[in-house]
Amino acid sequence: MLYRTCWWIGFCLCKILFRARAFGAAQVPPSGPVILASNHCSYADPVFIGASTRRRLHFLAKREAFEWVLIGPLIRRLNALPVARGAVDLRALSSVERTLRAGGAVLMFPQGTRRRDGGFDQAKPGVGYMAAHTGALIVPLHLSGTARIFMSLLGRGRISVRFGSPVRAEEFRIPDD
C-alpha cells in the first residue's frame, strides 16, 4: 500500500513539477525476474526510474542511507536493499538473488556510485553476475537531466528515462575457443 501511494505521488511530481518523460517503458517485462541497469547521477534517480514503470521495484541503496533519520525508515519500506560500498557485499547479493528468484524487479546502478555529469564509468560485475546466476533479463536504461534536477523545475531542462530492449546475460558470453 505504501509503495503504490508513494509511486502515485512520485509519478505526479515527476510529470508535473519536473516535466519528466519516459521512453520505452513497455520494454520492462510485466512479470518475471528483471534487472534494470541504469547510469546514476542523483539521489533522486530511483524515484524517476520507479515512476517511469508500473513494475514494483527493489533497489540497492548505500548502507549509510538506512541510518538517516527520515530517509532510512522510508526507503526500507519502499523495497530498498542495503549495500556496503567499496567491497563485495555478500548480504546484498543474497538479497538481490532472493528478490530475482521470487520473480521481482531490481534497479541496479552498475557503476556503483553517482556520476553527476551523467556519463558512464567502468561497470562493476554485480549486474552481469546476478543476471547470469539467476537467469534474470537485463533492461538497460539511460537517465538524463537528474544531475541538474533543479534546472528542470525552472523550465531550463528536462528529465528523461529511456528504456532499452531486454537482453539475457548469455548474449554477452564469449564462446570458449
Side-chain angles (χ1 to χ4, degrees):
M1 176 75 174
L2 178 64
Y3 187 94
R4 265 308 142 205
T5 301
C6 288
W7 183 91
W8 276 108
I9 292 168
F11 177 81
C12 292
L13 289 174
C14 290
K15 293 290 182 189
I16 296 168
L17 284 182
F18 294 99
R19 302 176 316 119
R21 294 183 295 184
F23 303 93
Q27 300 282 5
V28 179
S31 62
V34 64
I35 298 170
L36 278 66
S38 177
N39 61 317
H40 193 16
C41 308
S42 161
Y43 287 125
D45 293 349
V47 175
F48 285 98
I49 295 168
S52 297
T53 177
R54 297 234 181 231
R55 186 83 190 259
R56 180 182 296 258
L57 298 180
H58 294 77
F59 62 98
L60 294 169
K62 64 183 180 180
R63 192 169 301 282
E64 298 86 11
F66 288 82
E67 298 169 8
W68 298 345
V69 176
L70 297 175
I71 300 297
L74 179 63
I75 64 173
R76 184 173 281 110
R77 295 185 62 201
L78 294 176
N79 303 331
L81 307 169
V83 62
R85 297 182 305 161
V88 175
D89 185 344
L90 296 177
R91 236 183 334 183
L93 289 174
S94 179
S95 295
V96 169
E97 180 180 0
R98 272 193 310 277
T99 301
L100 292 170
R101 291 206 185 277
V106 178
L107 169 61
M108 296 177 76
F109 300 106
Q111 299 169 174
T113 190
R114 289 173 292 127
R115 183 166 163 178
R116 295 186 189 271
D117 65 2
F120 295 95
D121 286 330
Q122 181 70 34
K124 306 229 183 306
V127 170
Y129 172 80
M130 277 293 121
H133 191 65
T134 63
L137 289 172
I138 302 169
V139 175
L141 65 101
H142 182 260
L143 184 63
S144 63
T146 59
R148 296 175 33 153
I149 192 170
F150 294 108
M151 295 304 284
S152 65
L153 280 174
L154 301 173
R156 296 179 178 247
R158 184 159 240 167
I159 295 169
S160 66
V161 182
R162 297 181 186 276
F163 294 88
S165 299
V167 293
R168 293 202 174 277
E170 297 86 46
E171 296 177 37
F172 295 104
R173 290 203 178 135
I174 300 171
D176 294 331
D177 288 337

